[in-house]
Amino acid sequence: MSLKLVIGNKNYSSWSMRPWIGLKAAGIPFDEEVISLYGDGSREQILRHSPSGKVPVLIDGDVHVWESLAILEYAAEKFPDAGLWPSDPAARAHARAISTEMHAGFAALREECGMNLWRPPAKKALGADTRANVARIDEIWTGCRARFGQGGPFLFGRFTAADAMYAPVVGRFITFAIDVSPVASGYMRAMAALAAYQEWRSAALRETWVIPKFEVDYPDVPRLPADAA
Amino acid sequence: MMQLIIGNKNYSSWSFRPWIAMKALGIPFEEVLIPFGRPIGNPEFKQKLAEYTPAGLVPVLIDGDVHVWETLAILEYLAETFPDKRLWPADRKQRAEARALSSEMHAGFSALRGACPMNIRRPVRERALPEAARANVKRIETMWSEARARYGGPFLFGNFCAADAMYAPMAARVFTYGIKVNRDALAYVEAMMALPAWSEWKAAALKEEWIVPEDEADWPTVL
């Protein structure tokens, strides 16, 4: 039986994007079910799959895994050849540490700069906590690229689960035209050029569900054209 | 030998997690305690910690030239390094569930964490909880009792595992703040508190004299 990933809106759901892009980029086949968050009946629909009432959820037969990081760990175990984590133990430990830091951290950035892929890139004034988050993320990316980045354009060279965890941050940095170091900027270009990233973004730009509380310019909902490069 | 860098035992719930996992599962380590000092985030604490970790947060595990920060990443590292210690359940499905519960703890329950900071020395006294914190309690209670019912207890997946380490500080909060939970969840708290590792942490916490106002729910009273 094939895997099924239940996710929220591609334009807004950063948590959904993480396992989705992780599985896609690793070439792991799966079916997807998109539930528009906060839509009619969406909560019931989610609870059918996920006891925590949250997306994403990965369904593998009778195994239901929720939480992005737990899904990536599950996929890493089930598909050891997909290389979801770096193969070197020290690099792997580092990858898990920065993934976990993303998983529980950067609240100010997430709050102030929600993922909103269809919003045309434009700067926004950032609070001090958000600027500190940006500086720390830049430091993480730059540190990984310098120490582990040989052999590819991603944090550990080739694409890993750690990149999947930071993919929505790249989306946010682009949308809110956030200034970063040249190394971080190079990393963002590599992410944006990834086929899986483009596939997700392209689907997001075509979505029609608008969630007011995730639109920073509401009631304006500025949108890139569906075929924006 | 591995070193585990932690903060104050009375307050540092994140430090408690890998510490109790290593103790309860018999993984030897040297403990390095860096007191938080005042105010929170003071330069002296940051400077001492910077010798060990770039993230500026405790806990950190040091194994030779490998530095691992973030509780969950430390537990994963231990699980890989000591496969015989069974940090995660042996069954694939249970392991997935244990990781989901652990991740949910890692990133969630901020209302309850804010309303009831871990404070081992505080005498047991009930505290009124905001609605969001009560919703957190309900979710935790459901998780604990369902896992115990499914896998037989006394811990979430039978024997003590990394998921229990993740919830140990929650058990401490339920106890300290007299939070009402169902009988089964209470039995879980009792099982946790009966661990020798628990008593060892608690005894050391009670000996600490450092006060962190931000973590004192009754401030300026310190119970």
Side-chain angles (χ1 to χ4, degrees), chain A residues 1 58-65 74, chain B residues 92-93 97:
Chain A
M1 187 192 278
L58 180 74
I59 301 169
D60 182 17
D62 64 343
V63 183
H64 288 213
V65 197
Y74 182 80
Chain B
R92 194 170 60 98
K93 185 179 171 184
E97 196 182 334

Side-chain angles (χ1 to χ4, degrees), chain A residues 51-52 60 62-63 65-67 69-70 73-74 77-78 90 92-94 96-98 100-101 103-104 136 139, chain B residues 54-55 65-66 68-70 72-73 76-77 80 92-93 95-97 99-101 103-104 106-107 139 143:
Chain A
S52 72
D60 182 17
D62 64 343
V63 183
V65 197
W66 66 105
E67 292 281 337
L69 200 51
E73 290 286 1
Y74 182 80
E77 275 196 356
K78 189 173 167 100
R92 193 160 59 245
H94 196 94
R96 283 195 169 115
I98 65 165
T100 311
E101 203 174 333
H103 186 74
R136 171 67 189 146
E139 180 185 54
Chain B
D65 61 348
V66 181
V68 196
W69 67 102
E70 291 283 341
L72 202 48
E76 291 286 1
Y77 183 79
E80 280 194 354
R92 194 170 60 98
K93 185 179 171 184
R95 195 160 58 244
E97 196 182 334
R99 282 193 169 118
L101 293 185
S103 284
E104 203 174 333
H106 189 78
R139 170 72 188 140
M143 275 191 291

Side-chain angles (χ1 to χ4, degrees), chain A residues 141-196:
Chain A
W141 290 353
T142 308
C144 280
R145 290 289 306 137
R147 199 169 147 204
F148 304 106
Q150 300 74 17
F154 294 102
L155 296 176
F156 296 85
R158 61 182 172 72
F159 190 92
T160 67
D163 298 295
M165 290 302 289
Y166 282 93
V169 177
V170 170
R172 291 174 155 118
F173 281 15
I174 293 172
T175 298
F176 296 96
I178 291 173
D179 295 321
V180 293
S181 68
V183 175
S185 171
Y187 171 63
M188 288 168 60
R189 278 195 302 278
M191 181 73 81
L194 185 75

Side-chain angles (χ1 to χ4, degrees), chain B residues 13 36 38 43 58 69 87 94 98-99 119 127 129 134 138-140 142 159 166 178 189 201 215:
Chain B
S13 54
F36 288 135
R38 289 171 74 171
V58 285
W69 67 102
L87 265 287
Q94 290 184 33
R99 282 193 169 118
N119 188 345
R127 182 172 164 76
L129 297 182
R134 287 204 305 274
K138 205 165 154 42
R139 170 72 188 140
I140 290 167
T142 306
N159 296 324
M166 289 301 291
V189 173
W201 178 275
D215 285 335

